[in-house]
Amino acid sequence: MKETSIQECEECLAPAEAFSTIANETRLSILEALWTAPERPVTFSELRRSVGMRDSAQFNYHLGKLTGHFITKTEGGYDFRHAGKKVVRAVLEGSFNEDPELPSFGISGACTDCGAGLQAAYADEQITIDCTACGRIHSRYSFPPGGLNDRTREEVMDAFNQRVRHLHCLAADGVCPECNGKMETTLRRAEEPDVAATVCVEHRCAQCDHRIHSTAGLKLLDHSDVVTFHRTHGIDLCATPYWEFAWCVSDEHTTILSSDPWSIRVTIPLDDEELRVTMDGDLTVTDVETFPTGTPADSRTTA
């Protein structure tokens, strides 16, 4: 783990000290009480009453340990600093203290290989989508346990769809969805025989080493030309789960034009037309063309 920023910041806490500070039931209770307070800042007496600690001196000791890094003291009482909110959100997310599972259940869409139905399951903080017949995996991404709370299975999948879209938008734009560090994108030819993609896209954070792997097509879900092309064919791309599009979950419609430098083309067929989108090694769109279905790849008759 890098500690450059800690060495340069005289008032920052070292990671071990930061975790030891909040590894206390009373201090977590203080953060929870501050979070659930109807209004902030919250006075000392109101916080102590919410936590339920009679010993004022002992409560003040724990409150002092949090003040400065996790919470701040104002004229009106106590309020959160960003680090304090992150702690509470991490608890609510459930990654620290929950490990739920959901058995397989049917979802919308059909297998891009055999046409059978799809199913989803939740385990190890991931949602996996695969085919009910051939077992082909169409998607597998992280989903914090807190995302399961107060949602039906359909609502969970709607949330998962939006989460994956936003994760890849951030990653492709160079922002790590975990730590906000610099994310770099690289392409390589798939070498594993059980991988459906012929082109592997990897987004890697230079700061925390968080990595996201995907097909090239996922980058196009919010591209204006792709959205418009689907709209003209009566499809709301934003409202349709990404796993229902073959060009998002496999490389069936992806062609490698060059690997030095990288140039790839994703072909999106709809009715009697197909949209051909060319991207470079950074997944930047360099060309978009619409053709009648079946037009040879080297034709340039339609803009």
Side-chain angles (χ1 to χ4, degrees):
M1 178 182 296
K2 291 185 177 180
E3 295 198 3
T4 303
S5 61
I6 295 173
Q7 295 169 354
E8 295 175 350
C9 177
E10 294 181 357
E11 297 183 359
C12 291
L13 293 179
E17 185 179 353
F19 280 108
S20 66
T21 298
I22 59 174
N24 177 281
E25 184 176 355
T26 298
R27 295 169 199 170
L28 287 175
S29 296
I30 291 173
L31 292 176
E32 182 182 1
L34 196 59
W35 181 270
T36 57
E39 293 183 0
R40 290 193 293 267
V42 184
T43 66
F44 178 92
S45 58
E46 288 173 334
L47 268 181
R48 184 165 65 90
R49 187 163 46 250
S50 296
V51 173
M53 180 174 284
R54 295 183 178 181
D55 189 329
S56 178
Q58 186 71 4
F59 180 78
N60 186 58
Y61 167 77
H62 290 294
L63 185 61
K65 288 293 185 179
L66 294 171
T67 303
H69 191 74
F70 296 100
I71 62 178
T72 183
K73 185 178 181 180
T74 69
E75 291 184 2
Y78 293 87
D79 203 344
F80 275 116
R81 294 197 68 185
H82 181 68
K85 289 184 178 180
K86 291 285 288 185
V87 170
V88 177
R89 289 191 176 111
V91 173
L92 294 175
E93 185 182 78
S95 296
F96 290 159
N97 60 336
E98 298 180 22
D99 188 23
E101 293 187 1
L102 277 181
S104 298
F105 56 93
I107 62 172
S108 64
C111 177
T112 58
D113 282 0
C114 71
L118 298 178
Q119 62 184 3
Y122 186 86
D124 298 326
E125 297 188 21
Q126 290 184 322
I127 289 182
T128 300
I129 297 175
D130 61 7
C131 175
T132 58
C134 69
R136 153 96 157 79
I137 295 178
H138 287 58
S139 183
R140 179 184 288 143
Y141 290 105
S142 66
F143 192 76
L148 303 178
N149 296 334
D150 300 322
R151 283 192 172 117
T152 63
R153 285 177 170 78
E154 182 179 11
E155 290 171 338
V156 166
M157 296 312 297
D158 286 341
F160 177 66
N161 173 49
Q162 294 302 323
R163 173 178 167 81
V164 172
R165 287 170 177 260
H166 291 306
L167 287 178
H168 283 87
C169 282
L170 281 172
D173 288 339
V175 181
C176 176
E178 292 293 326
C179 75
N180 292 320
K182 184 179 180 181
M183 208 87 170
E184 297 178 348
T185 299
T186 57
L187 305 184
R188 63 179 174 81
R189 292 178 183 269
E191 299 176 355
E192 299 85 348
D194 59 339
V195 174
T198 57
V199 180
C200 287
V201 179
E202 180 182 83
H203 306 289
R204 176 183 175 275
C205 178
Q207 180 165 271
C208 73
D209 201 40
H210 178 61
R211 305 185 187 205
I212 300 178
H213 298 87
S214 73
T215 61
L218 274 173
K219 173 64 170 63
L220 301 175
L221 281 167
D222 63 347
H223 192 276
S224 58
D225 289 315
V226 178
V227 172
T228 300
F229 179 67
H230 282 78
R231 184 181 299 120
T232 59
H233 288 268
I235 298 174
D236 186 347
L237 187 60
C238 298
T240 306
Y242 71 89
W243 57 81
E244 294 191 20
F245 300 110
W247 49 272
C248 278
V249 297
S250 77
D251 275 352
E252 176 186 353
H253 301 289
T254 300
T255 303
I256 298 176
L257 303 177
S258 169
S259 59
D260 188 20
W262 275 100
S263 179
I264 58 177
R265 181 175 60 228
V266 177
T267 301
I268 303 174
L270 284 176
D271 301 329
D272 58 351
E273 288 187 310
E274 57 187 35
L275 190 70
R276 299 176 186 173
V277 184
T278 304
M279 295 183 282
D280 62 16
D282 295 323
L283 297 186
T284 298
V285 174
T286 59
D287 191 34
V288 180
E289 297 176 297
T290 305
F291 293 89
T293 300
T295 302
D298 58 353
S299 298
R300 293 292 183 269
T301 57
T302 307

